[in-house]
Amino acid sequence: MAALAQWCYTHRRIVVLAWVLVLAGLAGASAGFGTAYSDNFSLPGTQSTRALSLLSAAFPKQAGDSDTIVWHVSGGSVNDAAVRSRVQAMLAEVAKAPSVAGVSGPYGPKAAASTGRQVSADGRTAYATVTFNAQAQALKPADIQAVIDRAQAARTPTLDIQLGGQAIRQASQKPTGLSELVGIVAAAVVLLLAFGSLFSMALPLLTAVVALGVGGLSVGLLSHAVNISSVGPTLGALIGLGVGIDYALFIVTRHRNGLKAGMSVQESTVRAMNTSGRAVLFAGATVCTALLGMLVMRLDFLTGLGVAGATMVAWTMLTAITLLPALLGFLGMRVLSRAERRGLQQSGPSPEASSGRWLSWSQLVARHPRPLALVAVAVLLGLSIPTLSLRLGSSDASNDPASSTSRQAYDLLAAGFGPGFNGPLQLVAELKSPADRAAFAHLAAGLASTPDVAGASQLPLGPTSPIGIIQAEPASSPEAAATSALIDRLRTDVVPAAERGTTMQVYVGGPTAIFDDFASVLTGKLPQFLAVIVVLAFLLLMLAFRSLLVPATAAVMNVLAAAASFGVVVAFFQWGWGSDPLGMGGAGPVEAFLPVIMIALLFGLSTDYQVFLVSRMHEEWVHTRDNERAVVMGQATTGRIITAAGTIMVFVFLAFILGGQRVIAEFGVGLASAVLLDAFIIRTVLVPCLMHMFGASNWWLPGWLDAALPHLSVEPADEPVDPEQMARSVAGAGTP
């Protein structure tokens, strides 16, 4: 690491030019090839996937995404001549739009027989179904927007027209640029307060923005080779911006301490990279490992998100260890404020922070580890209580921003036709004989009287059709727990009873069932994933610190942090305590894939803070072999920077709430609460308390295991130590 830092410092113009060329090259490639984000995910072995496959094979032209155009009149009826004429002309225009396979509305002689009930009982609301020639994730945004524009062009003061469906929701999502900008501004304020220097503030921001640029472009190009969801870039930006600023912050802080201790700019840069730079590499590798751990889920959707996140983190590491030392060379002593430079000239070098409020707090923790640990654990366990009621699912359009067309279409349909109308179930059957067709007709007739089913109708098919389709409307909304219970009851009781004595096979599908299956699959795989992440984090920390207790403590702390942050998310979104005030609808399930991604991120980010904290303690332990002094000095010298880094991350993550997307907001709230708890309770109170209680056992590793494991050190073994400075530090850390 020292050699790389030395080279980047000496050849700083070449390094900066290389990064400019990389950024320009990726921008050019992205302009030429574009992106291929896809929200498609396969769930092999599930009924919803089998139902979709049957529909795609039997009706390839109708197997695309189905969306709705809803219109509502403030007075009169949707069947009035003027309304009919205007809407029919609009639907004809929509039918001509690119990627539209067909439009079926309530008007015309065959409408009643072919489309079912498309006009509300009060006659003031109606809808038409727009069938695209592909699933939502495969459609061009411009084609979806063309449908929206043509439909909304027919609006009048008395005729409201809104659109809903997966494709419409996808096209209506707002970009996250504002969230990123707000996060950067908030980080700038915290950095300026922490450093008191504009140049020191600018360095972490500049490196993070460069990493964000090259990382975002890389993820877009990777989408051609890996199935990356449309939420991937936003999630990657959320991760990359947070860790990018933090990694640069740790290195710049170590560099500033070196300058204050009297080192030259070059010597301090190399030392900072050889110490904090190593920790950044280790921490970043841990985050990447945790994110790529999602591959064990064997779901393309999560694999793509893991690859996107790991790519962003990899770029942040690369900028931190190459671009940052080059920029430090350009700035020289200006990374210190004028007051700090003046003080250095007048008073001479000063040792690394070994006095002040953080030292006082560290000594207080050393004196009272047990009561402080109990308070910290009580806070974490209290926040974890809502996690016991965690319900995974997929939020429906009722949680879209109130101003969005998809939310307004949802509300119109729910008011006119009932809450379950927005998420009908499709029962798709394989019919092999007349007896099967008779049994299927009997099933359709009996569904209407099934509890929690508001209505059911068998779609008209040919007498020899190999498949049958029943459209069943739940009495509850798509995201409601009652709808999930209905799906389970249909599959375990109602459908098997209808199949008995026949060769008929019926599969419960439709978008609502697909998301329900997705939640079930992820819930089943979550314990395996959690075990893999815990073991990987344990092994990495054991290799780094040659200890059993340090990684074991970190693993338990990470689980506590995850449970507490999930508790905050459940209270905020599932219980609806915060989602409604933010304009994201009322109470609803937590997004099914959120626990997997959050666990990966939390274990990675928590391990970051553990590495930065414990590596500094380990340095002191190696020099003094005094556990209390090692823990006190490690906490005193890293506490300020860890809490500053945590504060930055909290603001960055919370800024993503401004995007108005419920899924991203869940990540923002969850990660912000996790980092807040991690930086201000776990690493500031609980971990130091436990390390004081464990004593020298923190650093114990059986001899046979030590000999068998490869040696991987976060700190360089030959790091020079100033004996006079160490004496002052150790004396300052003494317990009064």
Side-chain angles (χ1 to χ4, degrees):
M1 181 59 75
L4 176 63
Q6 183 72 50
W7 192 92
C8 291
Y9 180 92
T10 306
H11 302 87
R12 46 188 175 272
R13 289 181 176 82
I14 295 176
V15 173
V16 172
L17 178 61
W19 274 104
V20 171
L21 292 176
V22 168
L23 189 58
L26 287 172
S30 180
F33 293 101
T35 61
Y37 296 118
S38 171
D39 292 317
N40 186 33
F41 55 86
S42 59
L43 300 170
T46 61
Q47 286 201 28
S48 56
T49 297
R50 179 59 181 159
L52 183 60
S53 299
L54 287 173
L55 288 175
S56 300
F59 308 104
K61 292 184 179 181
Q62 284 75 41
D65 192 75
S66 292
D67 293 66
T68 53
I69 300 175
V70 189
W71 56 97
H72 175 81
V73 292
S74 56
S77 168
V78 294
N79 287 315
D80 291 343
V83 176
R84 287 172 61 103
S85 175
R86 189 173 187 84
V87 171
Q88 281 183 306
M90 176 268 290
L91 295 179
E93 286 297 312
V94 170
K96 299 174 186 175
S99 300
V100 174
V103 178
S104 58
Y107 304 136
K110 298 181 180 180
S114 62
T115 62
R117 182 168 61 98
Q118 291 185 265
V119 177
S120 63
D122 62 5
R124 297 177 61 184
T125 305
Y127 75 94
T129 300
V130 179
T131 303
F132 290 96
N133 58 15
Q135 289 296 309
Q137 63 273 4
L139 294 171
K140 296 179 181 178
D143 292 351
I144 305 173
Q145 191 60 48
V147 171
I148 297 174
D149 293 340
R150 295 185 187 192
Q152 294 184 342
R155 285 175 173 171
T156 69
T158 58
L159 176 63
D160 185 20
I161 298 177
Q162 304 293 344
L163 297 92
Q166 284 297 113
I168 303 299
R169 292 183 74 188
Q170 180 177 300
S172 301
Q173 289 178 348
K174 297 178 181 178
T176 60
L178 175 62
S179 300
E180 295 166 13
L181 180 60
V182 171
I184 291 173
V185 171
V189 172
V190 176
L191 288 170
L192 186 59
L193 292 175
F195 289 145
S197 165
L198 286 173
F199 289 111
S200 290
M201 174 201 76
L203 277 175
L205 295 179
L206 180 59
T207 55
V209 168
V210 171
L212 202 63
V214 294
L217 294 169
S218 300
V219 170
L221 293 172
L222 276 173
S223 66
H224 291 280
V226 182
N227 179 30
I228 298 178
S229 165
S230 60
V231 77
T234 304
L235 187 61
L238 186 148
I239 301 167
L241 191 57
V243 301
I245 294 174
D246 270 15
Y247 290 168
L249 174 62
F250 284 116
I251 294 173
V252 171
T253 299
R254 195 64 178 258
H255 174 58
R256 283 166 49 84
N257 288 337
L259 294 179
K260 292 176 184 178
M263 295 182 181
S264 68
V265 174
Q266 182 172 348
E267 182 185 7
S268 178
T269 300
V270 173
R271 174 182 177 269
M273 297 305 302
N274 206 29
T275 52
S276 293
R278 284 171 174 255
V280 162
L281 274 181
F282 185 85
T286 304
V287 176
C288 290
T289 301
L291 288 168
L292 293 177
M294 288 193 285
L295 271 64
V296 303
M297 305 292 283
R298 289 175 290 178
L299 293 173
D300 289 346
F301 180 79
L302 292 177
T303 296
L305 292 180
V307 169
T311 300
M312 292 294 298
V313 175
W315 280 113
T316 63
M317 287 193 295
L318 198 55
T319 55
I321 64 174
T322 58
L323 180 60
L324 186 55
L327 295 176
L328 291 175
F330 280 115
L331 291 180
M333 296 295 294
R334 285 174 292 179
V335 295
L336 298 178
S337 66
R338 290 181 180 178
E340 289 170 330
R341 296 199 298 269
R342 201 162 44 242
L344 185 60
Q345 290 176 346
Q346 295 173 354
S347 305
S350 60
E352 188 174 358
S354 58
S355 61
R357 287 175 294 178
W358 276 107
L359 178 61
S360 299
W361 173 252
S362 302
Q363 292 171 337
L364 177 65
V365 170
R367 291 195 300 269
H368 309 287
R370 285 177 176 80
L372 288 174
L374 287 174
V375 171
V377 170
V379 171
L380 293 172
L381 291 179
L383 290 173
S384 301
I385 291 174
T387 306
L388 299 174
S389 62
L390 174 65
R391 183 171 72 87
L392 301 180
S394 180
S395 57
D396 55 33
S398 67
N399 295 306
D400 289 353
S403 60
S404 66
T405 187
S406 57
R407 167 70 176 276
Q408 295 182 58
Y410 179 98
D411 291 341
L412 287 174
L413 288 172
F417 300 93
F421 195 81
N422 284 287
L425 304 176
Q426 290 178 331
L427 280 70
V428 183
E430 293 179 283
L431 307 176
K432 302 174 184 177
S433 66
D436 289 350
R437 279 183 276 279
F440 189 67
H442 182 71
L443 172 62
L447 273 177
S449 59
T450 300
D452 297 324
V453 175
S457 60
Q458 182 178 351
L459 273 63
L461 299 170
T464 59
S465 174
I467 72 165
I469 304 171
I470 299 174
Q471 195 94 331
E473 179 186 328
S476 50
S477 66
E479 69 176 18
T483 302
S484 296
L486 173 61
I487 293 172
D488 291 338
R489 190 163 62 253
L490 290 176
R491 288 174 172 173
T492 57
D493 298 330
V494 178
V495 169
E499 291 174 337
R500 198 170 295 120
T502 71
T503 57
M504 175 179 68
Q505 293 289 321
V506 182
Y507 307 97
V508 180
T512 302
I514 289 174
F515 289 119
D516 195 72
D517 285 342
F518 188 44
S520 297
V521 169
L522 289 182
T523 301
K525 292 177 177 285
L526 198 56
Q528 174 192 5
F529 173 70
L530 182 60
V532 168
I533 294 297
V534 170
V535 170
L536 285 175
F538 181 90
L539 291 176
L540 286 171
L541 289 174
M542 183 173 64
L543 287 173
F545 299 117
R546 321 302 291 181
S547 164
L548 291 179
L549 272 178
V550 168
T553 301
V556 175
M557 296 303 99
N558 291 348
V559 172
L560 276 176
S565 60
F566 285 149
V568 174
V569 171
V570 168
F572 207 89
F573 293 97
Q574 186 177 314
W575 293 358
W577 289 2
S579 57
D580 198 30
L582 289 175
M584 297 177 193
V590 174
E591 208 66 31
F593 58 88
L594 181 131
V596 176
I597 299 175
M598 266 192 63
I599 286 173
L601 287 175
L602 292 182
F603 267 74
L605 297 176
S606 296
T607 304
D608 277 3
Y609 290 147
Q610 183 80 352
V611 167
F612 289 119
L613 173 65
V614 178
S615 62
R616 192 65 187 87
M617 293 176 178
H618 194 241
E619 285 184 57
E620 300 294 337
W621 167 256
V622 169
H623 296 314
T624 67
R625 294 294 165 174
D626 186 320
N627 181 74
E628 181 174 330
R629 287 176 174 169
V631 175
V632 168
M633 280 303 300
Q635 185 179 7
T637 54
T638 62
R640 179 170 175 265
I641 195 63
I642 285 177
T643 51
T647 302
I648 290 172
M649 272 202 175
V650 168
F651 280 117
V652 168
F653 291 150
L654 287 179
F656 279 80
I657 297 177
L658 302 176
Q661 299 181 36
R662 184 181 175 98
V663 175
I664 299 301
E666 287 181 9
F667 280 109
V669 170
L671 292 174
S673 59
V675 170
L676 185 67
L677 294 170
D678 199 290
F680 289 90
I681 293 182
I682 293 178
R683 311 302 157 187
T684 305
V685 181
L686 192 51
V687 168
C689 285
L690 293 175
M691 295 189 75
H692 280 299
M693 292 162 63
F694 293 147
S697 299
N698 287 308
W699 317 107
W700 176 79
L701 187 71
W704 63 269
L705 185 57
D706 185 42
L709 292 175
H711 282 264
L712 173 65
S713 178
V714 177
E715 315 92 15
D718 56 350
E719 175 70 13
V721 179
D722 182 346
E724 185 179 346
Q725 177 179 331
M726 176 55 62
R728 289 196 300 268
S729 297
V730 172
T735 304

